[in-house]
Amino acid sequence: MIGYIVFPYLIRKRQMNRIEFRYIRKKNQYEQLEKRAIEREISNLELRNQVLETDLSKSLQDILKSDLNTLKVISFYSDFEKVYPDFNDSLSKKVPNITPHEVKICSLIRMKLTAKEISRIMNVTPASVNKARYRIRKKITLDTKEDLDLFIANI
């Protein structure tokens, strides 16, 4: 009599163990596939970001070499927004009273341009760029020992 109860119980227990094992195995396979898909997506995004950065550098070099076509300059700023999407927001948070002109100068500083190159792009004198840099330093309240380029690069 006990055999009628114990035997089906053991069979069911073994079946449940197999089902649970299959479930765990499928779950692990799904997690591995999901992890690979995420890694692939990250590598694609990194590759796309590298391409955008090189395109941004090329367009910047084209602007510096050309006659400073305003359409090229505008396209540069839009490309800059694509490569560094949070730059303007984080800069505005750190320096709330910054003007759009100063944001443009900061974005060009972020691209590691000299005052002379910035002046060519913005069609102003290098002295104007240096004055704007000084005003930005005052708004940020940087010491004379601290580097504006380094501060902007860390944003």
Side-chain angles (χ1 to χ4, degrees):
M1 177 86 163
I2 295 178
Y4 290 112
I5 297 172
V6 174
F7 189 67
Y9 171 76
L10 292 175
I11 292 174
R12 290 260 189 226
K13 188 174 181 181
R14 204 174 327 147
Q15 287 175 343
M16 291 301 292
N17 286 342
R18 273 190 245 140
I19 291 171
E20 184 179 358
F21 177 74
R22 283 187 211 137
Y23 171 76
I24 291 171
R25 189 175 60 201
K26 295 279 185 186
K27 183 179 175 186
N28 288 340
Q29 289 174 346
Y30 176 75
E31 288 172 354
Q32 288 174 353
L33 285 173
E34 196 173 56
K35 185 178 177 183
R36 277 191 240 142
I38 290 171
E39 288 172 355
R40 227 179 283 130
E41 183 68 25
I42 288 172
S43 65
N44 287 339
L45 288 173
E46 287 174 348
L47 182 64
R48 196 174 318 141
N49 195 19
Q50 287 175 348
V51 168
L52 281 174
E53 285 179 0
T54 56
D55 289 346
L56 185 65
S57 297
K58 287 178 185 177
S59 70
L60 190 58
Q61 294 303 321
D62 289 343
I63 290 171
L64 288 172
K65 290 178 185 175
S66 70
D67 57 352
L68 299 177
N69 187 350
T70 54
L71 292 175
K72 286 184 180 178
V73 174
I74 292 171
S75 71
F76 164 75
Y77 286 119
S78 66
D79 290 344
F80 183 84
E81 283 290 320
K82 289 177 188 172
V83 176
Y84 303 106
D86 299 330
F87 180 76
N88 290 345
D89 294 334
S90 59
L91 184 64
S92 297
K93 286 179 185 173
K94 289 188 178 189
V95 187
N97 56 347
I98 194 165
T99 65
H101 180 72
E102 292 169 339
V103 170
K104 288 181 181 179
I105 290 176
C106 288
S107 64
L108 293 171
I109 291 171
R110 173 93 157 117
M111 293 302 298
K112 298 180 178 88
L113 294 179
T114 63
K116 193 173 185 178
E117 292 169 333
I118 294 171
S119 68
R120 285 195 59 214
I121 290 173
M122 299 191 77
N123 202 18
V124 294
T125 63
S128 300
V129 173
N130 288 332
K131 287 177 189 174
R133 286 175 61 100
Y134 175 74
R135 282 188 223 105
I136 293 168
R137 288 176 69 80
K138 276 179 65 176
K139 285 184 180 181
I140 298 173
T141 62
L142 287 178
D143 292 335
T144 55
K145 296 175 185 175
E146 295 180 66
D147 189 18
L148 178 65
D149 296 350
L150 185 63
F151 176 81
I152 291 174
N154 290 331
I155 291 179

